Amino acid sequence: EAGVAQSPRYKIIEKRQSVAFWCNPISGHATLYWYQQILGQGPKLLIQFQNNGVVDDSQLPKDRFSAERLKGVDSTLKIQPAKLEDSAVYLCASSLDLDTQYFGPGTRLTVL
Amino acid sequence: DQQVKQNSPSLSVQEGRISILNCDYTNSMFDYFLWYKKYPAEGPTFLISISSIKDKNEDGRFTVFLNKSAKHLSLHIVPSQPGDSAVYFCAGQTGANNLFFGTGTRLTVIP
């Protein structure tokens, strides 16, 4: 069974630029999560989807971050414009329902 | 507000000995507690969990203990193996399956 796929693996941008990350969850998994992990910290939930609906986006900085999961499968997370403090690893996870979360390898973002 | 805390950033243990990783939490509403293991350049991998109504769960070499009155849990690995060297994250889970992670403990098992 294929795991959670994410791309790109690494991205370097300058502040005020835009960036987008892509996630393909495990086949059949209804729930998808985006986490932000800043260096030296644990992952922090940004947004949770159940199929193509948002369950929780209370921690998402909505002035610059957006996410969508249009067909209930793949998802994209966008940052526009990026700030220095957005440098982090962005992790995507999926679960069959509200159970064990399986994580992708993450996208390491560096904002200069 | 850090709801889950791992106060030891690192731990070194000799191969074959016991590794004990500790975790404290403040949110009494967590339904489950989980441990994830993370290797460099990979995402966290689920290791073991425990329901908030239990005080122990065992899976092979891994045992998690929960002390609700102290709001403390620990992961025991015995015997420790070099392949166990990784960063271990403790997490509390709410009913909506939201995970709140600690800052992690880097375990090094010395051959």
Side-chain angles (χ1 to χ4, degrees):
Chain A
E1 179 183 81
V4 176
Q6 290 188 246
S7 68
R9 292 296 309 275
Y10 304 91
K11 189 74 177 178
I12 300 174
I13 62 172
E14 296 189 348
K15 60 183 180 183
R16 291 188 289 274
Q17 286 187 322
S18 302
V19 64
F21 313 126
W22 173 81
C23 173
N24 185 19
I26 293 172
S27 178
H29 280 197
T31 312
L32 185 146
Y33 315 77
W34 282 102
Y35 288 84
Q36 178 192 58
Q37 185 179 10
I38 293 172
L39 186 64
Q41 299 182 18
K44 183 185 81 171
L45 180 70
L46 292 175
I47 188 167
Q48 177 183 351
F49 292 94
Q50 183 83 7
N51 296 306
N52 61 348
V54 175
V55 174
D56 184 353
D57 64 356
S58 58
Q59 299 292 309
L60 189 72
K62 298 180 187 65
D63 57 334
R64 298 182 301 106
F65 286 66
S66 64
E68 59 184 12
R69 194 184 183 200
L70 292 175
K71 296 182 179 178
V73 181
D74 294 5
S75 176
T76 56
L77 175 70
K78 296 179 181 178
I79 308 175
Q80 180 180 6
K83 293 185 175 181
L84 296 176
E85 59 261 35
D86 298 332
S87 293
V89 175
Y90 290 85
L91 293 161
C92 179
S94 70
S95 62
L96 196 57
D97 191 3
L98 298 180
D99 52 3
T100 303
Q101 295 184 30
Y102 296 88
F103 284 80
T107 296
R108 180 177 296 278
L109 174 67
T110 301
V111 182
L112 303 176
Chain B
D1 177 30
Q2 192 75 22
Q3 300 187 38
V4 177
K5 296 180 182 180
Q6 295 176 257
N7 293 318
S8 298
S10 62
L11 174 69
S12 292
V13 172
Q14 286 290 134
E15 180 179 4
R17 305 294 293 269
I18 185 171
S19 296
I20 301 177
L21 295 91
N22 294 302
C23 178
D24 298 295
Y25 63 95
T26 58
N27 188 344
S28 300
M29 302 304 292
F30 287 137
D31 293 329
Y32 279 86
F33 299 91
L34 299 87
W35 286 92
Y36 276 79
K37 176 180 178 179
K38 186 180 182 306
Y39 292 117
E42 296 183 12
T45 303
F46 171 73
L47 188 58
I48 191 171
S49 66
I50 186 169
S51 166
S52 61
I53 62 173
K54 304 283 188 182
D55 56 16
K56 178 182 177 182
N57 186 29
E58 189 172 355
D59 183 2
R61 297 185 297 113
F62 303 91
T63 303
V64 58
F65 296 93
L66 175 62
N67 182 334
K68 286 191 71 175
S69 61
K71 293 186 177 176
H72 177 84
L73 64 156
S74 60
L75 174 68
H76 292 210
I77 306 172
V78 56
S80 300
Q81 299 174 354
D84 296 330
S85 296
V87 177
Y88 289 79
F89 289 97
C90 168
Q93 178 184 311
T94 66
N97 208 31
N98 290 348
L99 294 179
F100 293 82
F101 285 88
T103 52
T105 296
R106 180 178 302 277
L107 173 66
T108 302
V109 180
I110 304 165

